Amino acid sequence: MGLALLISLGSVLVLFPAWLPRGPSSLTVEDGAVELLQVVLLSASAAFLLAGAAHAGRFRPIYQGLSFAVIAAAVAELENGLAVILPGKTSGWVFLPFVLVAAWKFARHRRETLRFIGFAARHPSSGFIAAALIIIYVFGHFFGSRAFWQATLESDFPPDLPRICRGYLELLSCYFIFVGVIGFCIPVTRRPGSIPTG
C-alpha cells in the first residue's frame, strides 16, 4: 500500500512543473521548477540518509558517505545558479568536496562498504536506485539529444524539446533515488542495528 502511494505521488510530482503557467521565466525547463524539484528531492534524500546514519550501527559511515554523494548531486544541479555568484568556472567544481568526503568515508571503512554492497544487492530499494541511474545515463542521454529528435521528427520540433525531456527524466530519476533511500532508511530507524551484515 505504501509503495503504491509513493508511486502515485511521484507521478503527480514529476508532472507538476508541466501544469505551471508558462511565462517568460520558462519554469517548465531545466533552469526552473524542474531543476528546483530535483534539488528538493536530492536534499530530502540526503537528509533521510543522515537521519538513518544515527541508527545504522556499523554502517553509520556508509550512510554518511551516501548522504555526501547525494549532496554532491544536488549541488551539481545548482551549477547554473551558482555560476551567477561564483567567478569563472568555479561553479562546475563546487560538488567535488562532497564527492571526496564520500570517497574518503567509503575508503576508510572498506569492510563495512563491502558488506553494505552485499546487503544492498539483495534489497528491493536497489532496484529504484539502479533504475534512476539507467534513466540518467541511458535514457537521459538518448532522449535528451538533438540527434534523436531530428531523426524522429526531422526538423519540425521545438529547439528546447531535448532539454525539456532530459530535465523531466532527471526529475524522475531523482524521485526514484528518493524512494530508494526511504527504503534503505526506514528499516534502520524502526529496528536499530537490524541491518543484515551479509
Side-chain angles (χ1 to χ4, degrees):
M1 178 66 179
L3 182 59
L5 184 62
L6 278 175
I7 293 174
S8 301
L9 176 64
S11 301
V12 175
L13 181 66
V14 169
L15 294 176
F16 173 73
W19 300 331
L20 294 173
R22 294 172 185 254
S25 60
S26 189
L27 286 174
T28 57
V29 297
E30 178 71 10
D31 296 329
V34 173
E35 183 172 314
L36 178 61
L37 283 175
Q38 291 173 14
V39 173
V40 168
L41 287 170
L42 291 172
S43 300
S45 300
F48 268 101
L49 285 166
L50 285 174
H55 305 276
R58 68 175 63 188
F59 292 117
R60 180 175 183 172
I62 310 308
Y63 274 66
Q64 291 172 340
L66 290 172
S67 70
F68 278 102
V70 175
I71 290 171
V75 171
E77 288 297 333
L78 293 172
E79 179 182 350
N80 293 335
L82 293 173
V84 178
I85 58 176
L86 295 176
K89 297 183 179 180
T90 309
S91 60
W93 297 98
V94 176
F95 73 95
L96 188 58
F98 299 99
V99 173
L100 293 176
V101 172
W104 176 74
K105 287 278 187 183
F106 299 143
R108 186 180 179 188
H109 304 275
R110 289 186 293 272
R111 181 179 299 178
E112 286 76 13
T113 299
L114 293 174
R115 288 181 176 177
F116 182 82
I117 291 172
F119 155 71
R122 302 189 302 270
H123 198 286
S125 294
S126 296
F128 283 97
I129 306 294
L133 296 176
I134 291 171
I135 289 171
I136 291 174
Y137 294 108
V138 178
F139 291 104
H141 286 292
F142 187 68
F143 291 108
S145 68
R146 296 185 61 83
F148 170 78
W149 294 106
Q150 285 175 344
T152 304
L153 302 177
E154 297 181 351
S155 61
D156 188 21
F157 69 91
D160 284 337
L161 183 59
R163 186 173 63 167
I164 292 172
C165 290
R166 185 169 60 249
Y168 277 98
L169 286 171
E170 288 178 0
L171 178 57
L172 178 63
S173 67
C174 290
Y175 183 74
F176 279 6
I177 290 172
F178 176 70
V179 174
V181 164
I182 290 177
F184 279 121
C185 291
I186 287 181
V188 298
T189 56
R190 288 181 176 174
R191 298 184 298 276
S194 65
I195 297 182
T197 60

